Amino acid sequence: METGGIILEDYTKEINKRRTFAIISHPDAGKTTLTEKLLLYGGAINLAGSVKGKKTDRHAVSDWMEIEKQRGISVTSSVMQFNYGDYCINILDTPGHQDFSEDTYRTLMAADSAVMVIDASKGVENQTKKLFKVCVMRGIPIFTFINKMDREAKDTFELLDDIETVLGIKTCPINWPIGSGKNFKGVYDRDSNHILRFFAANSGQKEVDTIEVTLGDESLDSLIGKENHSILNEEIELLEGAGSEFNLEEVRQGKLTPVFFGSALTNFGVKTFLEHFLNMTTTPLPRKSSEGNIDPVENDFSAFVFKIQANMNKAHRDRIAFMRICSGKFEAGMEVNHVQGGKKIRLSQPQQLMAQERKIIEEAYAGDIIGVFDPGIFSIGDTLCSSDKKFEYEGIPTFSPEHFAKVRQVDTMKRKQFLKGVTQIAQEGAIQIFQEYNTGMEEIIVGVVGVLQFDVLKFRLESEYGVEIRLEPLSYEHIRWIENKGLDASKLNVTADTKKVKDLKGNPLLLFTHSWSIQTVLDRNKELRLSEFGRD
């Protein structure tokens, strides 16, 4: 990288504008709707399409796969970029369906912070807990948006207590809701001491009108109602005495979550959330590598692959590798070192995506997410760098599948297409495939994090590869990677319900029906070391 004044200054300015975050939630908490509204405020779209399609006939901007359009859910992670004020924002929209996939976990590895969307009538739900664990594992800041305040909601203090008890993180409300359901009038901003009174506009398709009034203003009785005004005063007084104080350092360490209230569907509270969020988040941070921390500004271009998606465009039958740029500047057509592949490659067809719309880009900076054409050489977790001092970013964990099935193709003449399809989908990280320990690919076992991925596998093999399959569910619920190098798994003394398998790279693994079997096998084989996570 040139260190001449202007060049470095331009780099620094561009990189410091970046904010890269993932949006996570339990199914139906309104995450995709919130994503759309952020895009609406950023001017990336002019009209938000309701995800369920009740008020409009449009599909959500971030959903692209046919099965998503049919079901009205997100099953793959989308990546979107837009500008807001002086910021350049990269949103990673993760699947929120109950049966989500490993793709969700991996996407969190590419984010600098996470926005957790919670349904005000339900509080913290199971899937949120899983995603939260990954955020804690990485120590990334978590911002909470309590959504659907336009419907009947749980008590506000109860919602905060739920987050603190279930997730074990302190909360600090940045604003406070005034009523809920039909009585939801707006929010009180604790920082400015202002009331933001909301007025709906066009079923949430356009930006919303707000009036700002200071707490204690005489006009508040008529604006939000005398009873609401009285309740608000009591709650604010209680909050000042009981709540955690705001501490930006604790937020950035993932120990305290700022909480916001609103309704993504009607746009209430979305703009104020976005503006506070941008002020609290950091520019792209250094990342750990085999050569120590890599600074985003002081180092040449480097990136890692966190997602691979085949057949995003049926007309092209293409395969895109999504990468998070960690340092420096990317330029179209640049030659870089593919560290794991051990060769120099030219990155072609760089693009950013907004659902099915693609934009070819000439340049991108640390913090950005880009997709490049993959001729079949990339794997999840691969590092790319332009410097000759090659290094590798920390591997991306392979998360334990929780459901397993034997997979067979109906037409044995289509063996070649079947193997190609299953292998490509596995390389994308949506499924994991295993073989019997002592055989080849005669029998394939598929493991998934959420059972919806079985439907996605079936759908994609039929529509993209012309292969019909039968799935036979297996009773295994636990998987462990064998950490001992060079260990002969065939000599292990295992229980009757344990199955020995190997992954695509030939690594030995064990499948268990019961959790107690894991300890039994460890007791019988004293040197054996097992891990819940594999590393790509």
Side-chain angles (χ1 to χ4, degrees):
M1 183 189 292
E2 289 183 54
T3 51
I6 294 174
I7 302 286
L8 187 57
E9 201 176 296
D10 287 350
Y11 266 86
T12 309
K13 192 176 166 189
E14 283 297 334
I15 292 169
N16 287 345
K17 282 165 65 174
R18 266 59 188 172
R19 296 291 184 276
T20 306
F21 64 94
I23 300 195
I24 61 176
S25 82
H26 190 84
D28 270 346
K31 175 185 53 57
T32 303
T33 310
L34 177 61
T35 306
E36 281 207 335
K37 298 312 168 73
L38 294 174
L39 295 171
L40 176 71
Y41 278 106
I45 53 174
N46 298 320
L47 186 74
S50 172
V51 186
K52 304 290 184 204
K54 286 175 186 166
K55 297 277 185 189
T56 73
D57 192 26
R58 303 161 65 87
H59 293 295
V61 174
S62 57
D63 294 350
W64 63 269
M65 196 190 274
E66 197 59 43
I67 197 168
E68 295 182 326
K69 292 174 187 172
Q70 289 175 8
R71 298 189 183 206
I73 54 171
S74 306
V75 293
T76 55
S77 300
S78 305
V79 188
M80 291 148 283
Q81 186 184 74
F82 69 97
N83 291 299
Y84 184 83
D86 292 333
Y87 298 96
C88 178
I89 299 162
N90 293 289
I91 299 183
L92 296 149
D93 179 23
T94 61
H97 194 271
Q98 190 157 1
D99 299 314
F100 65 172
S101 78
E102 244 188 288
D103 193 32
T104 319
Y105 294 140
R106 289 197 169 126
T107 298
L108 284 170
M109 306 304 281
D112 292 326
S113 57
V115 171
M116 179 166 66
V117 185
I118 289 176
D119 184 328
S121 66
K122 294 173 182 169
V124 179
E125 298 173 87
N126 275 341
Q127 228 61 36
T128 319
K129 289 182 209 170
K130 283 186 180 181
L131 292 167
F132 181 79
K133 273 185 186 173
V134 183
C135 295
V136 169
M137 186 174 90
R138 286 209 44 228
I140 66 173
I142 298 161
F143 297 81
T144 303
F145 185 82
I146 296 182
N147 192 26
K148 301 191 179 181
M149 290 302 298
D150 57 319
R151 302 186 189 176
E152 288 312 313
K154 275 186 170 185
D155 174 74
T156 313
F157 286 102
E158 200 181 315
L159 284 165
L160 296 178
D161 188 54
D162 200 16
I163 295 168
E164 297 203 353
T165 310
V166 179
L167 301 180
I169 188 171
K170 292 191 294 184
T171 61
C172 177
I174 303 300
N175 59 27
W176 195 258
I178 303 164
S180 69
K182 288 193 173 78
N183 189 37
F184 181 49
K185 303 297 183 190
V187 293
Y188 164 67
D189 188 295
R190 296 179 69 198
D191 193 34
S192 65
N193 205 27
H194 279 175
I195 304 285
L196 297 174
R197 172 71 165 100
F198 299 123
F199 296 92
N202 297 74
S203 304
Q205 290 178 343
K206 299 279 186 185
E207 291 183 31
V208 73
D209 292 325
T210 62
I211 292 177
E212 287 193 21
V213 184
T214 306
L215 189 64
D217 192 294
E218 290 176 8
S219 64
L220 267 179
D221 279 358
S222 58
L223 197 64
I224 63 172
K226 197 167 185 175
E227 191 183 350
N228 282 330
H229 192 182
S230 170
I231 292 169
L232 178 64
N233 277 326
E234 284 171 25
E235 289 184 336
I236 294 305
E237 200 175 316
L238 190 60
L239 188 61
E240 297 302 336
S244 296
E245 280 191 28
F246 180 74
N247 181 317
L248 190 56
E249 201 47 47
E250 286 193 340
V251 171
R252 289 177 178 175
Q253 290 170 3
K255 293 176 181 174
L256 174 76
T257 179
V259 182
F260 300 83
F261 295 86
S263 160
L265 192 67
T266 58
N267 296 347
F268 289 2
V270 175
K271 189 175 182 182
T272 179
F273 161 70
L274 178 61
E275 288 174 351
H276 278 292
F277 170 80
L278 291 172
N279 285 329
M280 291 178 192
T281 46
T282 61
T283 58
L285 298 170
R287 290 249 165 180
K288 288 179 186 170
S289 81
S290 56
E291 291 288 324
N293 279 348
I294 304 297
D295 187 275
V297 175
E298 290 170 15
N299 290 274
D300 290 328
F301 168 80
S302 69
F304 68 88
V305 176
F306 69 93
K307 172 184 168 75
I308 293 169
Q309 188 77 56
N311 304 328
M312 287 188 77
N313 184 333
K314 278 193 173 181
H316 298 134
R317 287 277 174 207
D318 59 356
R319 183 169 141 132
I320 303 289
F322 287 93
M323 52 187 71
R324 154 73 194 236
I325 302 176
C326 300
S327 65
K329 180 183 179 181
F330 168 85
E331 291 175 338
M334 74 189 297
E335 198 174 63
V336 298
N337 290 305
H338 177 208
V339 179
Q340 283 80 355
K343 58 173 82 167
K344 279 191 179 286
I345 55 166
R346 195 170 294 283
L347 296 177
S348 60
Q349 298 174 29
Q351 49 201 288
Q352 283 171 334
L353 293 95
M354 174 82 75
Q356 284 174 320
E357 293 172 29
R358 301 186 183 193
K359 184 175 76 175
I360 299 296
I361 55 163
E362 291 302 317
E363 58 184 41
Y365 296 85
D368 286 341
I369 308 291
I370 60 167
V372 298
F373 173 69
D374 176 15
I377 61 171
F378 295 124
S379 293
I380 287 165
D382 282 2
T383 299
L384 298 143
C385 60
S386 58
S387 79
D388 289 328
K389 188 181 178 184
K390 301 179 187 71
F391 57 84
E392 291 182 22
Y393 281 110
E394 279 188 320
I396 293 180
T398 301
F399 292 88
S400 302
E402 294 165 25
H403 309 275
F404 300 88
K406 273 184 192 170
V407 183
R408 296 188 179 95
Q409 81 262 36
V410 174
D411 183 353
T412 51
M413 300 297 285
K414 291 191 171 180
R415 184 74 181 158
K416 198 174 170 185
Q417 296 98 301
F418 168 68
L419 288 177
K420 183 185 176 188
V422 168
T423 306
Q424 282 203 342
I425 294 168
Q427 284 170 340
E428 292 171 26
I431 61 169
Q432 290 180 44
I433 56 178
F434 310 102
Q435 303 152 234
E436 294 281 354
Y437 188 66
N438 294 317
T439 63
M441 295 286 267
E442 290 82 22
E443 192 168 273
I444 293 177
I445 295 170
V446 170
V448 297
V449 170
V451 292
L452 176 73
Q453 292 307 314
F454 287 138
D455 291 348
V456 173
L457 175 65
K458 208 168 180 192
F459 180 90
R460 288 190 60 190
L461 284 173
E462 283 179 28
S463 66
E464 295 171 19
Y465 299 92
V467 177
E468 197 181 334
I469 58 164
R470 284 207 179 88
L471 289 158
E472 181 191 320
L474 298 170
S475 57
Y476 304 107
E477 291 182 7
H478 308 277
I479 186 168
R480 292 294 182 270
W481 278 261
I482 295 174
E483 290 200 329
N484 311 62
K485 296 276 184 228
L487 183 120
D488 185 355
S490 60
K491 292 180 179 170
L492 288 173
N493 181 359
V494 298
T495 57
D497 72 332
T498 305
K499 191 174 187 66
K500 298 168 187 173
V501 294
K502 58 185 176 184
D503 64 15
L504 275 180
K505 294 174 183 172
N507 300 316
L509 300 100
L510 298 175
L511 301 182
F512 302 93
T513 309
H514 303 287
S515 56
W516 53 259
S517 303
I518 301 169
Q519 192 53 51
T520 306
V521 169
L522 285 168
D523 290 341
R524 288 184 189 177
N525 305 271
K526 294 299 180 189
E527 289 87 44
L528 182 63
R529 291 196 314 277
L530 300 177
S531 170
E532 264 190 78
F533 298 106
R535 284 271 173 190
D536 282 336

